Amino acid sequence: EQGRATGVRLQGGEEYRARMAVVSNVDPGQTFLQLVGAEHLPAEEVERVEAWQMNESALFGAHMVLKEPPRYAVAEKYPDLIRKISDAGHEVGCHSYFHRLLYEMSPDELRTDLDRCLTVLRKVSGQPVSVFRAPGFSMKQECYWAYPILREFDLDIDISVVPASRDHGGISGFPRQPFQLQTDSGDIRVFPVSVLDLAGKTVPFSGGGYLRLFPLSLIRHGFSQNVAEGRPCMTYIHPREVNVDQPRLKLPMLKYFKYYVGMKTVQPKL
């Protein structure tokens, strides 16, 4: 009205008047050329909008209302892949169904997640599935309530603790040796992620982004340091980290570095 957006008219004809302003959460092209309409805009404004392009510094967000968290269940979508892994003699473990960080879940949410995940994995693989690894190694001190719940589902091995401060979790000062933890639901064997002491700090070194980023000499030093102290070492990778030809996503610079740095070095290091 009179050159101003004053409300919204839905496809069904319902109208909603704005009290203060009309805010759009779609890109400039959809907002001005489709919703407002190019015929209501000055020619120079239309040219500016038509010339707009999303670049590496552009921020895009999408908000969705879902009945449940999005699913990340590979076993459900590609059961033959899990059968091949099992048939090749590998042990199948549980990495959760919805891939949610432990410290963002309630006990009941964890039970629901484990029930769905283990039902699928045990059916597809034919294995008992007794190993758990939390998404993002997100076991924190405030998440110790999760251990009895793991045992409720017959999970008796956990690999969710990084004994160092880090994003998504980490427990500084946590024991580095594997040990058996007693819970009200039964015992569980805990295998902390391998770490090394470096320049007065404790850091992971042997898997994921650390394996890709660190030079082989430092990784070997980490293994030697742990072996000298009588500790076994573990390494871990994501499948994408040995697929150097995978399509590369357009990500912000820091996240792109985190996801793809050192990809070609993984197989030689292993």
Side-chain angles (χ1 to χ4, degrees), residues 132 139 147 150 156-161 188-191:
F132 178 76
M139 180 65 75
Y147 279 120
L150 297 183
D156 59 13
I157 297 175
D158 178 63
I159 316 172
S160 303
V161 178
I188 186 166
R189 288 170 287 173
V190 178
F191 289 82

Side-chain angles (χ1 to χ4, degrees), residues 83-103:
R83 292 190 189 100
K84 287 181 180 179
I85 293 172
S86 179
D87 292 345
H90 300 289
E91 182 175 3
V92 175
C94 172
H95 190 45
S96 82
Y97 190 90
F98 294 114
H99 205 266
R100 294 180 61 192
L101 301 176
L102 271 181
Y103 53 81

Side-chain angles (χ1 to χ4, degrees), residues 212 240 249-261:
R212 288 185 279 112
R240 62 181 176 81
L249 301 174
K250 290 184 178 181
L251 300 170
M253 192 181 339
L254 183 59
K255 183 167 284 190
Y256 187 93
F257 177 82
K258 178 181 177 182
Y259 272 59
Y260 299 119
V261 64

Side-chain angles (χ1 to χ4, degrees), residues 133 137 166 193 203-215 218-219 235-238 240-241 254-263 265-266 269:
R133 204 271 263 181
F137 295 104
R166 65 183 299 277
V193 173
V203 294
F205 69 94
S206 60
Y210 305 100
L211 180 68
R212 288 185 279 112
L213 176 64
F214 290 161
L218 181 59
I219 295 169
T235 188
Y236 60 92
I237 60 170
H238 304 87
R240 62 181 176 81
E241 289 169 322
L254 183 59
K255 183 167 284 190
Y256 187 93
F257 177 82
K258 178 181 177 182
Y259 272 59
Y260 299 119
V261 64
M263 195 75 70
T265 72
V266 174
K269 286 174 180 175

Side-chain angles (χ1 to χ4, degrees), residues 155-196:
L155 293 163
D156 59 13
I157 297 175
D158 178 63
I159 316 172
S160 303
V161 178
V162 176
S165 298
R166 65 183 299 277
D167 293 340
H168 299 323
I171 304 174
S172 182
F174 193 85
R176 302 186 190 186
Q177 287 276 15
F179 65 95
Q180 188 151 302
L181 177 70
Q182 295 180 335
T183 80
D184 292 339
S185 303
D187 295 350
I188 186 166
R189 288 170 287 173
V190 178
F191 289 82
V193 173
S194 298
V195 294
L196 76 96

Side-chain angles (χ1 to χ4, degrees), residues 50-211:
E50 289 177 337
W52 180 86
Q53 291 183 341
M54 184 175 288
N55 57 33
E56 293 181 357
S57 63
L59 178 64
F60 173 79
H63 300 270
M64 296 176 285
V65 179
L66 306 174
K67 292 182 179 179
E68 59 185 14
R71 302 181 183 185
Y72 298 89
V74 173
E76 211 167 47
K77 294 180 180 179
Y78 308 103
D80 289 343
L81 175 62
I82 304 303
R83 292 190 189 100
K84 287 181 180 179
I85 293 172
S86 179
D87 292 345
H90 300 289
E91 182 175 3
V92 175
C94 172
H95 190 45
S96 82
Y97 190 90
F98 294 114
H99 205 266
R100 294 180 61 192
L101 301 176
L102 271 181
Y103 53 81
E104 294 179 348
M105 301 175 72
S106 69
D108 285 343
E109 287 173 330
L110 177 59
R111 287 186 176 95
T112 299
D113 187 291
L114 291 175
D115 182 57
R116 297 187 71 164
C117 185
L118 290 169
T119 297
V120 175
L121 285 176
R122 287 167 176 164
K123 178 180 179 180
V124 170
S125 70
Q127 296 187 15
V129 186
S130 60
V131 180
F132 178 76
R133 204 271 263 181
F137 295 104
S138 52
M139 180 65 75
K140 291 183 174 183
Q141 285 182 315
E142 58 263 38
C143 300
Y144 287 166
W145 52 262
Y147 279 120
I149 296 176
L150 297 183
R151 287 301 292 122
E152 289 176 16
F153 288 86
D154 294 322
L155 293 163
D156 59 13
I157 297 175
D158 178 63
I159 316 172
S160 303
V161 178
V162 176
S165 298
R166 65 183 299 277
D167 293 340
H168 299 323
I171 304 174
S172 182
F174 193 85
R176 302 186 190 186
Q177 287 276 15
F179 65 95
Q180 188 151 302
L181 177 70
Q182 295 180 335
T183 80
D184 292 339
S185 303
D187 295 350
I188 186 166
R189 288 170 287 173
V190 178
F191 289 82
V193 173
S194 298
V195 294
L196 76 96
D197 295 317
L198 180 67
K201 294 186 178 181
T202 303
V203 294
F205 69 94
S206 60
Y210 305 100
L211 180 68

